Amino acid sequence: MLISVVLSGGAGTRLWPVSREGYPKPFMKLADGESLLLKTYRRAAAVGASDILTVTNRDYYFMSKDEIALADLDMSAHFLLEPAGRNTAPAVAMAAQMVAELHGPDALMLVLPADHLVQDQAAFAQAVAKARSLALQDKLVTFGIIPTGPETGFGYIETGADVGDGKQVVRFVEKPSLDKAREYVDSGRFVWNSGMFCFKAGVILQELAAHASDVDTATRACWAATCAAGGDRTKMAEIPAEAFAEVPDISIDYAVMERSSNVVVVPGDFGWSDIGSWVAVRDLTAPDGNNNRATGNAVFVNSHNVYAQGDDRLVAAVGVQDLLIIDTPDALLIAHPDRAQEVKQVVSHLKTQGHDAYKLHRTVKRPWGTYTVLEEGPRFKIKRIEVKPGASLSLQMHHHRSEHWIVVSGMARVVNGEQELLVGANESTYIPAGHKHRLENPGVLDLVMIEVQSGEYLGEDDIVRFADIYGRA
Amino acid sequence: MLISVVLSGGAGTRLWPVSREGYPKPFMKLADGESLLLKTYRRAAAVGASDILTVTNRDYYFMSKDEIALADLDMSAHFLLEPAGRNTAPAVAMAAQMVAELHGPDALMLVLPADHLVQDQAAFAQAVAKARSLALQDKLVTFGIIPTGPETGFGYIETGADVGDGKQVVRFVEKPSLDKAREYVDSGRFVWNSGMFCFKAGVILQELAAHASDVDTATRACWAATCAAGGDRTKMAEIPAEAFAEVPDISIDYAVMERSSNVVVVPGDFGWSDIGSWVAVRDLTAPDGNNNRATGNAVFVNSHNVYAQGDDRLVAAVGVQDLLIIDTPDALLIAHPDRAQEVKQVVSHLKTQGHDAYKLHRTVKRPWGTYTVLEEGPRFKIKRIEVKPGASLSLQMHHHRSEHWIVVSGMARVVNGEQELLVGANESTYIPAGHKHRLENPGVLDLVMIEVQSGEYLGEDDIVRFADIYGRA
């Protein structure tokens, strides 16, 4: 039995403005329209995992469920929800507790970060098959990537003698200097540390106890607190915040892998990328004769080595070279490819300034669908609201604003004060301030609605929730 | 009597995406929110012109009237409307006919292109005073700009002996090579040809007859046709298209100035710029310590010599240098300052492709106000409509779309089928397809309205106009 544990954390600040705090890197869609998370789910299914356990922040629960629904996989899915990020050792330890409870200590865990890309699925499946056979022999298996160049952004693993289908791990080394990286690559003995693993749940728990007793003790207490909190853990377990705060913030590499003598590595060459910056995203699109690349609507005049990514807006580049142009509805990034790592400084700057663009997109995801602010002005705000089939917003009331709702497609069931009515395409209704109301999509198609808000105060915090199927009341 | 003739033509394709065919360079607003045309009107008033005659394409009539209203000048305003652009000689000739008719042949014309900037008004006023005294002596006066460097983008005028307050013109020279330009500037005898002039209406008509009889004959016929067409020429004269098509396409420099021996030049140094490219616009904003400049919301990280111009959207530049970033709601330009002239190639490309972004902005001006498409989707389109006080849209009908109107500020008088009603802020009305309707702003504040269109066809051409106060029915 193979359980894929998908670690879906990480802000991906180097991929701003597409990746934002409220919509981080795993949810970033590539040019084919699929998110990295969705691709990870498909990858897990393709190598024969029978269950997927997603470890993620509780804020991303509904968004993650949407992605797994899109993947349309014939397998069970569980969620382990963290109240905050505590690095990979606590995530793996808690996941191992949950897998051991659900499937027993001999169940194999295939740990996959949610924000990596693998382009050669067949080669990846071969590597997983090798890892499984080693993990069944109670090894801790890590996946090493055969280097394509002297990268200084990755950790390296020095490999030793053959061990079954893998190799002995001589040592882990941190991100090296360029000279060191060249030496490693030339030696032929070093691989990149991918952050993917395979082991039995019971084995990693034993190794944690042996090499990181603080993590082990704290996460066992935390798992007990999670179980004590009740709820149906066969679907989703939510880790209590107080207990999780006691858990050390440490990586699984540092807590266990670098300390245990039981670690083997399976080297592989399967078109792996950690999509670490916009340069990696750029490289996924084929260049034209001037080495320019575009996803979206771009015009290049006397320009070279330019990547333009956008949606509807037209991007024109004139007489420029060596640029990344990343266009989103509310923020634009222009960066030199050699400085792509420094994009995270923009995010820090925006956080310091209190600018929302580090956190939210113009389109905001909600458990029931999305809303997009189309325009704001004095005393009015216009939103496009999309509600998924069967979904429902909370029963709510606003003190300071009234709302005009116009359905443009699909069907709405609306509670408006004492009335309940169905509103179809090209019909409208009006919700005065102070009226309790609820919006629901009773149909099987998406509901798309335009909301025009009017009032002296239009902040999102003017909301009183009376009932909510997502537990937000 | 001094009549300011404002020549408002020219596409300004080098200033795309702000300047577009439907909203050309004279209407481009600088960082202070004033258009170049408005600034030209103010400049004309400041030097004592008693009347303004704007020569422009008939498509820009209502937009030009809006600018003159904004200028709020205590002087009369006339318009001479061209059906198409035919260069400056026909424009000046027709204007001279109109000025001679309105004010007699001795009236002085001060010819000002509508898309130039003058930063030192006092120095400009002095130059105009000199030009007036020379023009009163029946001279053709041109304004020369004392060069600030060896520019190759301008024509030059070689000056000779003093003539009153001006200098004799030895010769006009076309845009020179860089070596020639250096030679001209070093000599101290050359000035830039600014395209501004001062002369009596009767004198320029005589000179046209003497040096460009084809232009003279054709424009006299054209003026006769304009008068024959009737209308109140004390406000506005519209040139008939058939007659104007017979007029040669030629510049006033080439037709008269370079041929006449009666030309003098008034050299001046008054902070003149023809705003010939984005570099000229950039230079109007003060740089920071890294030589970066921004109008709007920008973050610079390790960047140098970058100009970012935008509205609401956030622009972040990381590790880049020597860039112009011009951001508009539907199109983005990234250009190297040294290649700013090549921006016009983008416009050519878009025209060839049939892409609307060479012609229209997201906000479209109409005689009654503006509309902005906020969003389009299958079977729906959302517009913000702003109607000026007292203005009225045509009485109209759509076959394929119904419209929801929600007033967000101001007051609307609405004809909806057989009904007439007043719709105030936070009220709405619904216009079914096939209903005759009219929207009017009866108040003294701007009317702002959201329109949600719904239907199987939402093109702007699904409109039947029954009555229109702007003559468009």
Side-chain angles (χ1 to χ4, degrees):
Chain A
M1 174 163 284
L2 184 70
I3 315 301
S4 181
V5 174
V6 174
L7 301 183
S8 185
T13 53
R14 283 171 292 196
L15 293 166
W16 182 90
V18 171
S19 171
R20 303 197 187 177
E21 192 175 290
Y23 187 85
K25 190 177 153 199
F27 300 99
M28 187 172 92
K29 289 183 175 61
L30 298 186
D32 62 6
E34 289 191 352
S35 71
L36 290 168
L37 179 58
L38 173 54
K39 288 177 183 294
T40 304
Y41 286 144
R42 290 201 200 285
R43 190 182 316 137
V47 296
S50 58
D51 186 6
I52 285 183
L53 171 59
T54 304
V55 187
T56 191
N57 189 286
R58 57 193 178 191
D59 289 345
Y60 309 136
Y61 174 49
F62 293 103
M63 286 165 65
S64 303
K65 284 215 318 187
D66 286 350
E67 294 302 305
I68 219 163
L70 278 175
D72 196 21
L73 304 175
D74 186 22
M75 59 200 297
S76 61
H78 293 83
F79 287 88
L80 178 59
L81 302 183
E82 297 177 325
R86 301 295 284 173
N87 213 327
T88 49
V92 168
M94 294 295 289
Q97 299 278 1
M98 188 158 171
V99 169
E101 180 186 296
L102 290 168
H103 305 288
D106 286 340
L108 289 185
M109 296 166 63
L110 174 66
V111 178
L112 302 177
D115 56 358
H116 290 182
L117 188 67
V118 167
Q119 295 187 283
D120 183 345
Q121 300 306 332
F124 180 66
Q126 284 175 10
V128 171
K130 291 176 185 172
R132 285 176 81 156
S133 74
L134 289 158
L136 285 172
Q137 298 161 46
D138 290 348
K139 294 290 178 193
L140 298 179
V141 186
T142 179
F143 290 82
I145 309 296
I146 296 167
T148 55
E151 284 288 333
T152 58
F154 301 133
Y156 283 69
I157 300 171
E158 185 174 357
T159 63
D162 286 353
V163 179
D165 282 337
K167 284 178 182 291
Q168 193 195 338
V169 169
V170 176
R171 61 176 173 137
F172 285 82
V173 284
E174 299 282 311
K175 295 174 185 177
S177 66
L178 186 59
D179 282 351
K180 276 283 175 198
R182 286 210 184 95
E183 196 185 309
Y184 293 164
V185 173
D186 290 347
S187 77
R189 289 195 318 276
F190 285 79
V191 291
W192 294 337
N193 183 0
S194 71
M196 299 188 288
F197 307 100
C198 189
F199 34 63
K200 284 182 185 168
V203 170
I204 188 69
L205 288 172
Q206 282 166 21
E207 296 276 350
L208 277 157
H211 299 290
S213 63
D214 52 346
V215 176
D216 181 59
T217 307
T219 51
R220 281 179 194 277
C222 200
W223 180 247
T226 305
C227 296
D232 178 8
R233 287 194 306 287
T234 62
K235 285 291 169 201
M236 183 265 277
E238 189 180 348
I239 305 172
E242 317 79 62
F244 204 56
E246 302 300 315
V247 176
D249 185 319
I250 185 173
S251 75
I252 190 70
D253 289 280
Y254 193 65
V256 174
M257 297 296 158
E258 299 181 12
R259 299 178 188 180
S260 170
S261 57
N262 193 30
V263 184
V264 294
V265 57
V266 172
D269 180 5
F270 35 75
W272 174 89
S273 167
D274 74 340
I275 310 290
S277 76
W278 281 114
V279 170
V281 177
R282 175 197 68 185
D283 291 346
L284 300 175
T285 301
D288 68 12
N290 292 313
N291 209 33
N292 295 318
R293 304 162 206 244
T295 67
N297 202 350
V299 177
F300 298 106
V301 175
N302 297 329
S303 294
H304 304 274
N305 197 29
V306 175
Y307 174 62
Q309 172 176 321
D311 295 321
D312 291 346
R313 289 177 7 111
L314 177 69
V315 178
V318 176
V320 293
Q321 50 192 333
D322 302 323
L323 286 182
L324 303 164
I325 303 170
I326 313 297
D327 186 40
T328 71
D330 62 340
L332 166 69
L333 170 70
I334 314 285
H336 193 287
D338 295 348
R339 313 297 285 270
Q341 302 294 329
E342 295 168 16
V343 170
K344 60 187 173 194
Q345 292 184 32
V346 176
V347 179
S348 309
H349 182 86
L350 294 175
K351 263 189 158 163
T352 310
Q353 281 197 321
H355 195 300
D356 258 0
Y358 79 88
K359 194 169 61 184
L360 296 178
H361 276 284
R362 208 175 62 127
T363 294
V364 179
K365 283 238 181 191
R366 286 284 184 253
W368 42 261
T370 64
Y371 72 81
T372 305
V373 176
L374 299 181
E375 188 152 73
E376 281 185 78
R379 298 181 62 88
F380 77 95
K381 189 193 273 187
I382 304 159
K383 285 181 178 177
R384 185 189 57 231
I385 294 175
E386 300 200 16
V387 185
K388 293 182 279 193
S392 168
L393 280 69
S394 56
L395 180 66
Q396 57 189 240
M397 187 265 279
H398 313 293
H399 288 107
H400 302 292
R401 68 177 185 253
S402 48
E403 297 177 341
H404 291 266
W405 290 354
I406 299 158
V407 173
V408 297
S409 65
M411 175 63 75
R413 182 183 293 142
V414 175
V415 172
N416 184 358
E418 300 302 307
Q419 278 194 302
E420 181 169 329
L421 64 162
L422 287 170
V423 185
N426 196 24
E427 296 179 337
S428 67
T429 189
Y430 173 70
I431 316 283
H435 267 221
K436 271 193 201 182
H437 58 279
R438 185 197 278 276
L439 174 64
E440 191 186 338
N441 178 355
V444 293
L445 301 174
D446 281 349
L447 164 65
V448 181
M449 208 185 73
I450 303 302
E451 173 178 282
V452 180
Q453 302 178 356
S454 186
E456 58 193 336
Y457 178 76
L458 302 170
E460 294 297 329
D461 54 346
D462 175 19
I463 183 166
V464 182
R465 287 200 175 99
F466 300 101
D468 185 67
I469 61 173
Y470 311 104
R472 300 173 304 165
Chain B
M1 171 161 285
L2 183 70
I3 315 302
S4 181
V5 174
V6 174
L7 301 184
S8 186
T13 53
R14 281 171 293 198
L15 293 166
W16 183 90
V18 171
S19 171
R20 303 198 187 178
E21 192 175 291
Y23 188 86
K25 190 177 154 198
F27 300 99
M28 187 171 92
K29 288 183 174 63
L30 298 186
D32 63 4
E34 290 190 352
S35 71
L36 291 168
L37 178 59
L38 172 55
K39 287 176 183 295
T40 304
Y41 286 144
R42 291 201 200 284
R43 191 180 316 137
V47 297
S50 59
D51 185 6
I52 285 182
L53 171 58
T54 304
V55 187
T56 191
N57 189 286
R58 58 191 180 191
D59 289 344
Y60 308 136
Y61 175 50
F62 294 102
M63 286 165 64
S64 303
K65 284 215 320 185
D66 287 350
E67 295 301 304
I68 220 162
L70 277 176
D72 194 22
L73 304 175
D74 186 23
M75 59 201 296
S76 63
H78 293 83
F79 286 87
L80 177 60
L81 302 183
E82 298 177 323
R86 301 296 282 174
N87 213 329
T88 50
V92 167
M94 295 295 288
Q97 298 278 2
M98 188 160 172
V99 169
E101 179 185 294
L102 290 168
H103 306 288
D106 286 340
L108 288 186
M109 296 165 62
L110 174 66
V111 178
L112 302 177
D115 55 358
H116 290 182
L117 188 68
V118 167
Q119 295 188 283
D120 183 346
Q121 299 305 332
F124 180 66
Q126 284 174 11
V128 171
K130 292 176 185 172
R132 285 176 80 156
S133 75
L134 289 159
L136 285 172
Q137 299 161 46
D138 291 348
K139 294 290 180 195
L140 299 180
V141 186
T142 179
F143 290 83
I145 309 296
I146 296 165
T148 55
E151 283 287 333
T152 58
F154 301 133
Y156 284 69
I157 299 171
E158 185 174 357
T159 63
D162 286 354
V163 179
D165 283 337
K167 285 178 182 290
Q168 193 194 338
V169 168
V170 176
R171 60 174 172 137
F172 285 81
V173 285
E174 298 283 310
K175 295 174 184 177
S177 65
L178 185 59
D179 282 351
K180 275 284 176 200
R182 285 210 183 97
E183 195 185 310
Y184 294 164
V185 173
D186 291 346
S187 77
R189 291 195 317 277
F190 285 78
V191 292
W192 294 336
N193 183 1
S194 71
M196 300 188 287
F197 307 99
C198 190
F199 33 62
K200 286 183 184 166
V203 170
I204 188 69
L205 288 172
Q206 283 166 20
E207 295 278 350
L208 277 157
H211 299 289
S213 63
D214 51 346
V215 176
D216 180 60
T217 307
T219 52
R220 281 180 193 276
C222 201
W223 181 247
T226 304
C227 296
D232 178 7
R233 285 195 308 288
T234 63
K235 286 290 170 203
M236 184 265 279
E238 189 180 348
I239 305 172
E242 317 78 62
F244 205 56
E246 302 300 316
V247 176
D249 185 318
I250 186 173
S251 75
I252 190 70
D253 289 279
Y254 193 66
V256 175
M257 299 296 158
E258 300 182 13
R259 300 178 187 180
S260 169
S261 56
N262 192 30
V263 183
V264 293
V265 58
V266 172
D269 179 5
F270 35 77
W272 173 89
S273 167
D274 74 341
I275 310 289
S277 76
W278 281 115
V279 170
V281 178
R282 174 196 70 185
D283 290 347
L284 300 174
T285 302
D288 68 12
N290 291 312
N291 210 32
N292 295 317
R293 306 164 204 242
T295 68
N297 203 350
V299 177
F300 297 107
V301 175
N302 298 327
S303 294
H304 305 273
N305 198 30
V306 174
Y307 174 62
Q309 172 176 320
D311 296 320
D312 292 344
R313 288 178 5 116
L314 176 70
V315 178
V318 176
V320 292
Q321 50 193 334
D322 303 323
L323 286 183
L324 304 164
I325 303 171
I326 312 299
D327 187 40
T328 72
D330 62 340
L332 166 70
L333 169 70
I334 315 285
H336 193 287
D338 295 348
R339 314 297 285 271
Q341 302 294 330
E342 295 168 16
V343 171
K344 60 187 171 192
Q345 292 183 32
V346 176
V347 179
S348 309
H349 182 85
L350 295 175
K351 263 189 160 164
T352 310
Q353 280 196 321
H355 195 300
D356 258 1
Y358 79 89
K359 192 169 62 183
L360 296 177
H361 275 286
R362 208 176 63 126
T363 294
V364 179
K365 284 237 181 195
R366 287 284 185 253
W368 42 261
T370 64
Y371 72 81
T372 305
V373 176
L374 299 181
E375 188 152 73
E376 282 185 78
R379 296 183 61 92
F380 77 96
K381 190 193 274 187
I382 304 160
K383 285 182 178 177
R384 185 190 57 235
I385 294 176
E386 300 200 16
V387 184
K388 294 183 279 195
S392 169
L393 280 70
S394 56
L395 180 66
Q396 56 188 239
M397 187 266 280
H398 312 292
H399 288 107
H400 302 292
R401 67 178 187 251
S402 48
E403 296 176 342
H404 292 265
W405 291 353
I406 299 157
V407 173
V408 298
S409 67
M411 175 64 75
R413 183 183 293 140
V414 175
V415 172
N416 184 358
E418 298 304 306
Q419 281 194 299
E420 181 169 326
L421 65 163
L422 288 170
V423 184
N426 197 23
E427 296 179 336
S428 67
T429 189
Y430 174 71
I431 317 283
H435 267 220
K436 271 192 199 182
H437 58 279
R438 184 198 279 275
L439 174 64
E440 192 185 338
N441 179 356
V444 293
L445 301 175
D446 281 348
L447 163 66
V448 182
M449 207 184 74
I450 302 302
E451 172 177 282
V452 181
Q453 303 179 354
S454 185
E456 58 192 335
Y457 179 75
L458 302 169
E460 294 298 328
D461 54 347
D462 174 19
I463 184 166
V464 182
R465 287 198 174 99
F466 300 100
D468 184 68
I469 61 174
Y470 311 103
R472 300 174 304 163

